[in-house]
Amino acid sequence: MINLVLFGPPGAGKGTQAERLTEKYNLVHLSTGDIFRSNIKGGTELGKLAQSYMDAGNLVPDEVTIKMLESEVDARPDAGGFIFDGFPRTETQAKALDSFLNSKRTEVTMMLALTVDDEELKTRLLKRAETSGRADDADPKIIENRIAVYKKETAPVAEYYRKQHKLKEVNGVGSVDEISRRLYEAVEDHG
Ligand code: B4P
């Protein structure tokens, strides 16, 4: 079983690359951002709770996010492996994921961390705002906040996996195909 954590700042291309990795390695793709957005669209209680955090560019509280992720994993007992896209985003989430997967006698295989500079992130997100309809993409101040939250709360998660010798950093600047190739190499290098 292979379980990949796809990591990186907002707009690094996690969603874009997760689709390709999912297909290539026959994994189940779980994007916490997508799950929250579909709950917002469906008007569920979870969506109502998540919306104010997301629109402001803040993280949804750990307790809610962890519970949601675990029930998504539990709903797919036949999965051959997962790609966690946008999760974990805090050290508390990372620890919860470890103990949850351990209880299922599996573990995170590796974290693939996309590195992209701040200017490129802002350009990509503002461009996406033209078509995404996402409030968190449209306002440069909210984008700044998302990047700041990433640096303060999320970036330390990479160190958590580095200590476990599971961190692979991949240059996230270039064409989508080039980046996919770098990611496949990183996965296959692991053996
Ligand atoms: P996410 O949905 O995870 O979104 P993201 O950080 O915006 O984006 P991603 O990196 O996937 O970008 P994409 O591929 O689309 O999170 C949104 C919010 O949800 C968070 O702020 C938070 O509030 C909440 N949330 C989610 N998970 C949570 C958690 N675990 N805990 C708490 N809260 C959580 O790429 C961006 C753009 O770049 C696209 O337009 C794409 O076309 C373009 N692009 C991609 N690759 C490119 C390339 N190589 N070159 C040029 N452009 C490229």
Side-chain angles (χ1 to χ4, degrees), residues 8-18 31-34 36-37 50 53-62 65-66 68 85-90 93 114 120-121 124-125 127-129 131 134 136-137 146 149 172-177 179:
K14 298 184 290 290
T16 307
Q17 296 297 337
S31 157
T32 41
D34 286 351
F36 284 133
R37 279 185 291 276
Y53 294 99
M54 291 177 74
D55 284 355
N58 293 321
L59 296 181
V60 179
D62 282 336
T65 308
I66 290 166
M68 177 186 84
D85 163 6
F87 184 94
R89 257 176 160 98
T90 63
Q93 292 180 14
L114 292 167
E120 172 73 11
L121 296 175
R124 287 184 189 180
L125 292 173
K127 183 152 179 273
R128 183 169 66 183
T131 53
R134 280 175 56 173
D136 60 342
D137 285 346
R146 289 165 69 190
V149 168
V173 180
S175 73
V176 172
D177 283 345
I179 298 162

